[in-house]
């Protein structure tokens, strides 16, 4: 990897964009009727279509050159080999091992990773199955009916996504999630549960996360009121890398499961962090979930760059963010059970690549990760598609949709859903010009003057890019492929931008300041040593919280 090669690739891409910018995407299909076939790639029953982006062969070749110059193939292999790819924390990033332990490097930093992962996985599986079959029961011997996972960020979003997305496969206890420090979250979740039949999992890599510990202490007190202090420990489990802190909290060692320091939180659903999903789905379904991710791992390592799903998705992302200058991307799953996917990807993407310095500490000269947002379709159509179609900013859209649903009695619903998804992508690309709109209005019986007046408001510029991920059905194997696809996309993009996608130092400052302010807030005191604005807000909050006026 050389700086010169990367600079030349960026410069060539910028020059080519100037040549290509005036070409419309729909014109590319006119010039090449087989564009769809050439600009989509399949992995078994999953298809990624990038034909509705303003990429031509020259642009893709230049992007692939950029990926090679940035060392993408070498970075991926280094990650899979267990090398120290997280330089700021001096760690490997071996999350793929959790879904395919047989492919693990034997040793990492002198430790036998393969044996350790297998042993811990056996413990997690045994616990999950024990909860499911009733051999691990509540204090009175009654089976566990409810599981509450207390965590935040990577200790929350992954398992919550899996449990929500795979609802048709859930046959275990009811699983609930608490993340927010707002007491309303934990209170609403505990309300109506039976403490004698509830298992609480505290998931925190450091076991020092303020929000998680606050919620865990509230849940402990709730359990103690019903079970007595001596009965609480049997209704708690923990997932952490800090096993000593979990023990100090009061959780028995046999109920503490390991998170690995060489797996980042947002990449950790495949291991013990996935315990709530394993309890809800069963180990067979969870194994299928991990097998899907392992299949994507094999694909990203084996497929050529320009026929490689994660690489192509990353190259499209870099093209849109850095070459075309589009600052955001919208994730639009036309799959109701994937309604947590945009939120999951916000953390995976923006916590990984929202960096202003390169991996070696130098200031970036260009932009890194874009802003990721989205919503489930068709809800999104009636919320913000106005801006997507007619706004002044172009937002690349990433559609996801299943060819078939799980509800045989609602096939018409699914056909309507797919029609909407495909139609929105087509409308974004094609648009409708003013002359066409005016003619259409006249055909509908509108007089010429009114048609001319309204045509600008009813016209669509089109030429707005989108990708489409189409899969047969949202089952555990497919969900595993989807998550791993985006995981690798994030790592590849981060490598091209030159940042470290495995750390997240940007979250630390606010946490430190919150800790220092907590005592002042609780005591209703000001903080003149902070800043005038914060001190003023503390004063207002104290008066309002105590029922006083301004």
């Amino acid at each position: 990897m050389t700086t010169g090669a990367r600079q030349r690739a960026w410069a060539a891409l910028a020059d080519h964009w100037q040549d290509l910018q005036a070409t419309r995407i729909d014109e590319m299909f006119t010039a090449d009727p087989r564009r769809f076939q050439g600009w989509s790639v399949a992995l078994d029953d999953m298809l990624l279509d990038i034909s509705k982006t303003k990429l031509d062969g020259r642009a893709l070749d230049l992007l692939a050159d950029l990926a090679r110059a940035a060392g993408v193939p070498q970075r991926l292999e280094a990650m899979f080999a267990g090398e120290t790819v997280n330089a700021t924390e001096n760690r490997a990033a071996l999350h793929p091992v959790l879904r395919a332990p047989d492919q693990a490097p034997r040793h990492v930093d002198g430790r036998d990773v393969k044996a350790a992962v297998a042993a811990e996985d056996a413990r997690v599986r045994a616990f999950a199955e024990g909860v499911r079959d009733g051999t691990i029961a509540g204090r009175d011997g009654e089976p566990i009916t409810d599981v509450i996972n207390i965590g935040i960020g990577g200790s929350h979003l992954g398992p919550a996504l899996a449990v929500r997305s795979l609802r048709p496969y859930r046959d275990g206890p009811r699983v609930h999630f608490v993340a927010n420090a707002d007491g309303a979250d934990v209170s609403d979740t505990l309300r109506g549960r039976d403490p004698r039949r509830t298992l609480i999992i505290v998931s925190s890599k450091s076991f020092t996360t303020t929000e998680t510990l606050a919620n865990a202490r509230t849940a402990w007190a709730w359990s103690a009121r019903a079970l007595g202090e001596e009965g609480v420990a049997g209704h708690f489990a923990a997932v952490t890398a800090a096993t000593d802190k979990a023990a100090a909290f009061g959780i028995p060692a046999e109920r503490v499961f390991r998170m690995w320091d060489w797996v980042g939180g947002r990449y950790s659903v495949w291991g013990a962090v996935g315990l709530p999903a394993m309890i809800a789905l069963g180990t067979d379904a969870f194994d299928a979930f991990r097998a899907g991710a392992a299949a994507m791992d094999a694909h990203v390592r084996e497929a050529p760059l320009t026929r490689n799903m994660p690489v192509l998705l990353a190259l499209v992302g870099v093209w849109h963010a850095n070459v075309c200058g589009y600052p955001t991307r919208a994730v639009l799953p036309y799959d109701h059970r994937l309604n947590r996917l945009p939120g999951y990807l916000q953390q995976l993407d923006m916590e990984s690549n929202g960096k202003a310095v390169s991996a070696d500490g130098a200031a970036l000269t260009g932009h890194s990760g874009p802003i990721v947002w989205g919503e489930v379709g068709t809800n999104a159509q009636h919320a913000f598609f106005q801006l997507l179609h007619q706004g002044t900013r172009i937002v690349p859209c990433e559609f996801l949709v299943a060819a078939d649903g799980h509800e045989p009695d609602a096939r018409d619903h699914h056909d309507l859903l797919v029609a909407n998804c495909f139609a929105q992508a087509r409308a974004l690309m094609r648009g409708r010009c003013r002359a066409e709109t005016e003619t259409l209005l006249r055909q509908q019986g509108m007089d010429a003057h009114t048609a001319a007046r309204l045509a600008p408001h009813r016209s669509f510029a089109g030429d707005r890019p989108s990708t489409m991920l189409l899969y047969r059905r949202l089952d555990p194997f497919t969900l595993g492929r989807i998550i791993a696809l985006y995981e690798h996309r994030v790592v590849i993009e981060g490598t091209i931008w030159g940042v470290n996608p495995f750390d997240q130092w940007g979250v630390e400052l606010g946490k430190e300041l919150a800790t220092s302010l907590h005592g002042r807030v609780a005591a209703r005191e000001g903080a003149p040593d902070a800043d005038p604005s914060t001190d003023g807000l503390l004063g207002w909050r104290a008066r309002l919280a105590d029922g006083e006026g301004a």
Side-chain angles (χ1 to χ4, degrees), residues 23 44 68-69 73 78-79 104 116 129 132 150 194 223 248 297 338 351 371 411 418 441 464 496 500 505 511 522 545:
T23 303
D44 300 323
R68 295 186 189 96
M79 182 182 75
E129 286 301 330
R132 285 170 56 81
I150 297 177
D194 182 353
S223 297
D297 292 342
L338 282 178
E351 192 168 83
I371 298 164
R411 188 170 298 278
V418 173
L441 295 175
R464 303 194 173 208
I496 291 173
N500 177 7
W505 298 108
K511 290 164 64 174

Side-chain angles (χ1 to χ4, degrees), residues 143-459:
I144 297 297
T145 58
D146 291 271
V147 176
I148 299 174
N149 187 79
I150 297 177
I152 200 166
S155 298
H156 161 72
L157 290 166
L161 171 65
V163 170
R164 170 62 178 168
S165 300
L166 299 176
R167 188 182 183 93
Y169 301 88
R170 285 161 46 183
D171 58 2
R174 296 180 293 267
V175 178
H176 318 274
F177 294 89
V178 171
N180 204 316
D182 188 335
D185 192 5
V186 65
S187 297
D188 288 350
T189 304
L190 295 175
R191 187 176 296 116
R193 312 288 164 223
D194 182 353
R196 294 164 298 183
R197 306 187 71 174
T198 299
L199 170 70
I200 296 168
I201 302 171
V202 184
S203 186
S204 171
K205 189 170 187 178
S206 66
F207 223 81
T208 60
T209 307
T210 303
E211 302 93 329
T212 297
L213 291 183
N215 285 323
R217 284 191 288 268
T218 296
W220 187 283
W222 172 79
S223 297
R225 286 193 292 271
L227 305 171
E229 194 67 34
E230 71 283 356
V232 177
H235 283 257
F236 269 70
V239 179
T240 183
T243 55
D244 57 332
K245 291 184 174 63
F249 189 83
I251 300 175
E254 67 272 15
R255 288 170 169 257
V256 178
F257 304 98
R258 286 288 301 274
M259 294 175 71
W260 308 101
D261 61 3
W262 35 262
V263 175
R266 57 193 175 277
Y267 300 93
S268 64
V269 67
W270 317 102
V273 169
L275 176 59
M278 197 180 291
I279 292 172
L281 304 169
T283 52
D284 288 346
F286 198 80
D287 284 346
F289 171 61
R290 294 199 287 200
M296 189 60 70
D297 292 342
H299 172 74
V300 77
R301 300 180 75 178
E302 297 167 3
L305 290 184
T306 57
R307 303 299 295 171
N308 187 309
M309 277 191 183
V311 172
L312 285 173
L313 197 58
L315 296 184
V316 168
V318 170
W319 172 255
H320 287 154
N322 299 92
V323 183
C324 305
Y326 306 143
T328 81
R329 61 172 64 130
V331 178
L332 305 167
Y334 275 67
D335 200 317
H336 182 70
R337 294 188 176 106
L338 282 178
N339 63 355
R340 288 184 177 267
L341 182 65
Y344 175 83
L345 294 181
Q346 284 171 353
Q347 189 213 19
L348 176 65
D349 201 315
M350 293 195 286
E351 192 168 83
S352 296
N353 290 334
K355 312 288 174 62
V357 298
S358 65
D360 60 9
L364 295 182
T365 57
H367 290 297
S368 57
I371 298 164
V372 179
W373 60 288
E375 176 59 276
V376 68
T378 56
N379 297 8
Q381 293 175 198
H382 296 269
F384 52 77
F385 270 46
Q386 168 65 43
L387 184 147
L388 297 184
H389 284 290
Q390 291 187 316
T392 57
R393 297 176 179 88
I394 292 179
V395 179
C397 296
E398 301 183 357
F399 293 94
L400 301 92
V401 68
D404 191 20
H406 287 91
E407 291 72 32
D409 296 335
R411 188 170 298 278
D412 287 347
H413 284 264
H414 199 77
D415 290 344
L416 178 63
L417 183 76
V418 173
N420 271 274
C421 181
F422 291 174
Q424 292 296 331
R426 173 173 163 76
L428 286 166
M429 174 188 70
R430 188 180 183 279
R432 190 168 63 198
C433 70
R434 185 176 301 189
E436 184 181 0
T437 302
E438 193 168 341
T439 298
L440 179 63
L441 295 175
R442 292 290 304 278
Q443 291 172 348
Q444 293 173 349
M446 193 173 291
D447 64 83
H449 174 75
T450 304
R453 180 174 62 84
L454 292 180
H457 301 280
R458 299 193 182 188
S459 299

Side-chain angles (χ1 to χ4, degrees), residues 513-533:
L513 295 177
T515 299
S516 68
L517 286 174
H518 185 198
R520 301 285 183 87
V521 171
R524 308 292 198 263
E525 297 176 351
D529 55 335
D531 62 82
S533 175

Side-chain angles (χ1 to χ4, degrees), residues 13-208:
L13 282 164
D15 289 342
H16 186 60
W17 173 240
Q18 295 304 313
D19 297 334
L20 193 60
Q21 192 170 1
T23 303
R24 289 180 57 91
I25 299 170
D26 52 349
E27 292 173 353
M28 293 177 157
F29 284 89
T30 302
D32 178 11
R34 292 187 56 79
R35 179 173 171 82
F36 170 78
Q37 288 78 5
W39 291 85
S40 58
V41 59
L43 176 59
D44 300 323
D45 63 340
M46 178 177 281
L47 178 85
L48 175 65
D49 171 27
I50 63 169
S51 63
K52 293 188 184 72
T53 63
K54 198 174 292 190
L55 282 169
D56 63 0
R58 172 66 174 158
L60 185 59
D61 288 344
L62 290 172
L63 287 165
D65 289 345
L66 175 62
R68 295 186 189 96
V72 165
Q74 296 88 340
R75 179 64 170 271
L76 289 173
E77 285 309 305
M79 182 182 75
F80 280 101
E83 296 179 19
T84 302
V85 293
N86 180 353
T88 63
E89 297 176 299
N90 195 33
R91 293 173 180 168
L94 264 178
H95 48 280
V97 167
L98 301 180
R99 57 231 192 186
D102 57 320
Q103 299 176 18
R106 186 67 185 177
H107 292 90
V108 175
D109 296 332
R111 293 172 293 177
D112 188 337
V113 171
K114 188 175 295 189
V117 169
E120 194 63 21
D121 188 52
R123 292 185 66 230
V124 176
R125 294 167 68 89
F127 187 80
E129 286 301 330
V131 173
R132 285 170 56 81
D133 66 22
T135 56
I136 296 175
R139 188 185 182 200
D140 59 0
E142 292 294 321
I144 297 297
T145 58
D146 291 271
V147 176
I148 299 174
N149 187 79
I150 297 177
I152 200 166
S155 298
H156 161 72
L157 290 166
L161 171 65
V163 170
R164 170 62 178 168
S165 300
L166 299 176
R167 188 182 183 93
Y169 301 88
R170 285 161 46 183
D171 58 2
R174 296 180 293 267
V175 178
H176 318 274
F177 294 89
V178 171
N180 204 316
D182 188 335
D185 192 5
V186 65
S187 297
D188 288 350
T189 304
L190 295 175
R191 187 176 296 116
R193 312 288 164 223
D194 182 353
R196 294 164 298 183
R197 306 187 71 174
T198 299
L199 170 70
I200 296 168
I201 302 171
V202 184
S203 186
S204 171
K205 189 170 187 178
S206 66
F207 223 81
T208 60

